[in-house]
Amino acid sequence: MVSPAIALAFLPFIVTLLIRYRHYLMLLYRAVLVAWLRDRLTGTSREQRAFQYLLTHAIPGDPHHILQTFDQWCYHCEHLSCVGPDKGRIVERVLLEQAPLRVLELGTYCGYGTVLLAQGLPPGARLYTIEGDPRHAAVAEKVIRLAGFSEQMHSAPATEGAAAQVELIVGPSEEVIPRLREKHGLMNANLVFMDHWKRCYLRDLQLLESHQLLAEGATILADNVLFPGAPHFLQYAKTCGKYHCKVHRTRLEYFRGIPDGIAELRYTGAH
């Protein structure tokens, strides 16, 4: 049994750890413990709860207000792993500068990133977004429609009218990517936004290369490369000779006390 004297000796060390890592402990509390408890109390997922909040508070057909409402939910209610407003401004800048016509998103999740991308695309652009979890895809489909974008599940033909056409594809990215050209008509992408499992970033980037789905000069934006981190992806991007790479250092979405970053890669072509 630990004596009181020894316990008191460790108290300053424990207090220091709690202060230093308080933001990470708060993330654990909000993103894991609160979500787990509310899932069981309500019988619904936090993604479904977030959508119900959008239905109550967001203006249908207004993408900007829908994103703002998402942010309010994540700041004040429960945490969702969306790109968020700070890193979202980096994405918006790239869209404004490049006006890409063919965009690929890996990791639709609740549709936050999809709405962010779609609202910044020029008329006639097409956004292909891939989600591996059918439950998340079902929520994202409703969010996309709430935002007023033309959304097509799988490979149905697009309808006219919206500034950007959105095609939501449900399935594991490693299975969908090889079929993008033949089944979905994506010859190559001008912009790729990665916000799915970080361990899949490098694998999926190399799949895009091997299937020649990156247009020369294409931009790849990869979220959360510093936290939780994608070190192998960053090392490859910096050393393979195919990309100009920079990392925009910022903060984790909805947690300003946790450093993070979004990588911006410019594809220079196969070597």
Side-chain angles (χ1 to χ4, degrees):
M1 184 174 179
V2 179
S3 69
I6 296 177
L8 286 173
F10 276 98
L11 185 60
F13 175 70
I14 295 172
V15 171
T16 300
L17 287 179
L18 291 175
I19 294 173
R20 178 174 297 180
Y21 296 105
R22 64 189 183 280
H23 299 292
Y24 298 91
L25 292 172
M26 181 59 66
L27 175 63
L28 176 66
Y29 169 74
R30 289 193 60 212
V32 179
L33 296 181
V34 170
W36 179 85
L37 180 60
R38 290 183 177 173
D39 284 355
R40 277 144 187 80
L41 290 176
T42 65
T44 62
S45 68
R46 59 180 163 180
E47 293 81 16
Q48 293 170 318
R49 293 192 294 274
F51 178 68
Q52 291 301 317
Y53 186 86
L54 288 181
L55 285 178
T56 304
H57 296 88
I59 301 173
D62 186 339
H64 181 68
H65 193 260
I66 284 172
L67 294 177
Q68 284 186 326
T69 308
F70 249 130
D71 293 333
Q72 291 172 4
W73 165 268
C74 294
Y75 277 125
H76 304 298
C77 299
E78 298 181 57
H79 179 76
L80 292 175
S81 298
C82 308
V83 64
D86 295 334
K87 287 180 285 186
R89 283 188 282 272
I90 298 172
V91 177
E92 289 174 330
R93 174 188 59 78
V94 172
L95 292 172
L96 182 63
E97 290 175 353
Q98 300 184 16
L101 292 176
R102 300 177 304 279
V103 178
L104 175 64
E105 179 186 29
L106 301 179
T108 316
Y109 191 40
C110 291
Y112 183 107
T114 309
V115 173
L116 176 69
L117 291 165
Q119 73 166 355
L121 293 177
R126 184 147 185 118
L127 169 59
Y128 302 81
T129 180
I130 300 172
E131 174 54 49
D133 190 326
R135 296 167 299 178
H136 295 165
V139 174
E141 181 184 8
K142 297 174 185 176
V143 171
I144 294 166
R145 290 179 177 173
L146 186 67
F149 294 107
S150 174
E151 184 275 330
Q152 302 296 324
M153 292 291 288
H154 307 292
S155 58
T159 58
E160 299 297 331
Q165 300 291 329
V166 179
E167 182 173 342
L168 174 58
I169 307 168
V170 182
S173 56
E174 71 273 21
E175 296 178 9
V176 173
I177 289 174
R179 306 196 307 262
L180 280 174
R181 178 177 286 110
E182 179 180 348
K183 187 172 181 179
H184 301 279
L186 176 61
M187 302 308 294
N188 51 45
N190 307 119
L191 175 70
V192 178
F193 180 55
M194 293 184 167
D195 197 12
H196 56 321
W197 292 106
K198 316 314 161 191
R199 65 176 181 268
C200 300
Y201 279 13
L202 177 56
R203 179 202 67 195
D204 288 350
L205 181 64
Q206 292 175 330
L207 274 176
L208 292 171
E209 292 173 0
S210 63
H211 289 275
Q212 299 180 340
L213 289 168
L214 296 175
E216 188 166 351
T219 296
I220 297 93
L221 295 173
D223 193 16
N224 304 124
V225 293
L226 299 183
F227 184 86
H232 300 298
F233 168 83
L234 283 179
Q235 182 181 22
Y236 175 80
K238 292 176 179 178
T239 60
C240 70
K242 302 177 184 178
Y243 303 94
H244 296 304
C245 177
K246 59 181 176 181
V247 176
H248 302 277
R249 293 183 178 271
T250 177
R251 300 292 174 179
L252 183 68
E253 53 271 15
Y254 313 115
F255 279 91
R256 298 188 183 279
I258 301 178
D260 192 18
I262 184 169
E264 181 180 348
L265 282 56
R266 184 65 58 83
Y267 184 58
T268 59
H271 291 273

